[in-house]
């Protein structure tokens, strides 16, 4: 049987769309989404404090994942991703430390807060990689006139 170009094309289209998942940025975003889901589950089961922070960060991480996965990047988007990562790191760090202090007797809340601290570390690493990427682009001169809001 002869392979035709039409038979191979759908496989290549699927491969192109799933290629982002295996990139370093895709793995970081997938880890952020997974850790936020674990934090939400742990805090929801224990009726814990500050359930809104991992939910907000989960939604933002999913939106960023979709935008990167579909190659919809625009110039200002790098800064949006940077602010998402840095605010996610700070919010999850602060709320997790507060929740560990308030509800240290509730095992689900402690587990959720520990996973929240791990998620804060991953968001912090993402912030570092984004900032390094922006700096490399600026040194190459391809960043152009980026407006810093």
């Amino acid at each position: 049987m002869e392979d035709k170009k039409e038979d191979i094309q759908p496989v290549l289209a699927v491969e192109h769309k799933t290629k982002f998942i295996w990139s370093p940025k895709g793995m970081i975003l997938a880890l952020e989404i997974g850790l936020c889901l674990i934090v939400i589950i742990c805090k929801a089961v224990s009726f814990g404090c500050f359930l809104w922070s991992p939910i907000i960060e989960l939604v933002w991480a999913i939106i960023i994942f979709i935008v990167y996965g579909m190659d919809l990047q625009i110039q200002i988007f790098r800064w949006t991703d940077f602010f998402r990562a840095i605010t996610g790191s700070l919010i999850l760090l602060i709320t997790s430390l507060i929740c560990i202090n308030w509800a240290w007797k509730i095992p689900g809340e402690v587990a959720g807060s520990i996973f929240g601290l791990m998620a804060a570390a991953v968001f912090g690493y993402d912030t570092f990689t984004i900032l390094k990427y922006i700096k490399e682009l600026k040194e190459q001169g391809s960043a152009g006139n980026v407006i810093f809001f």
Side-chain angles (χ1 to χ4, degrees):
M1 186 172 166
E2 186 177 312
D3 286 337
K4 296 180 182 177
K5 191 157 186 97
E6 294 86 23
D7 295 339
I8 299 172
Q9 192 172 13
V11 174
L12 293 177
V14 170
E15 181 180 318
H16 174 70
K17 293 298 181 189
T18 59
K19 195 176 198 179
F20 172 72
I21 297 171
W22 301 110
S23 70
K25 181 67 176 178
M27 288 185 190
I28 290 172
L29 284 171
L31 184 60
E32 289 174 359
I33 291 169
L35 284 172
C36 283
L37 276 173
I38 292 171
V39 172
I40 290 168
I41 291 169
C42 289
K43 287 182 180 266
V45 167
S46 66
F47 301 107
C49 62
F50 296 117
L51 185 59
W52 56 268
S53 59
I55 292 173
I56 291 172
E57 296 308 324
L58 174 71
V59 169
W60 273 110
I62 290 172
I63 290 170
I64 298 296
F65 188 84
I66 290 170
V67 168
Y68 271 120
M70 295 180 68
D71 293 331
L72 298 175
Q73 301 172 23
I74 55 174
Q75 189 72 21
I76 199 71
F77 186 72
R78 293 182 201 110
W79 289 106
T80 305
D81 191 21
F82 173 73
F83 287 125
R84 175 206 57 91
I86 198 165
T87 56
S89 178
L90 292 174
I91 288 172
L92 286 172
L93 177 70
I94 292 169
T95 58
S96 294
L97 289 175
I98 290 171
C99 290
I100 285 177
N101 189 24
W102 280 354
W104 59 273
K105 292 182 181 179
I106 304 170
E109 186 62 41
V110 172
S113 296
I114 289 173
F115 280 111
L117 289 173
M118 285 193 283
V122 172
F123 274 94
Y125 178 74
D126 194 16
T127 302
F128 172 72
T129 57
I130 295 166
L131 192 59
K132 191 170 84 169
Y133 179 71
I134 291 173
K135 184 178 178 184
E136 288 174 3
L137 286 179
K138 196 166 193 173
E139 287 174 356
Q140 291 174 357
S142 64
N145 295 330
V146 177
I147 300 170
F148 187 83
F149 291 104

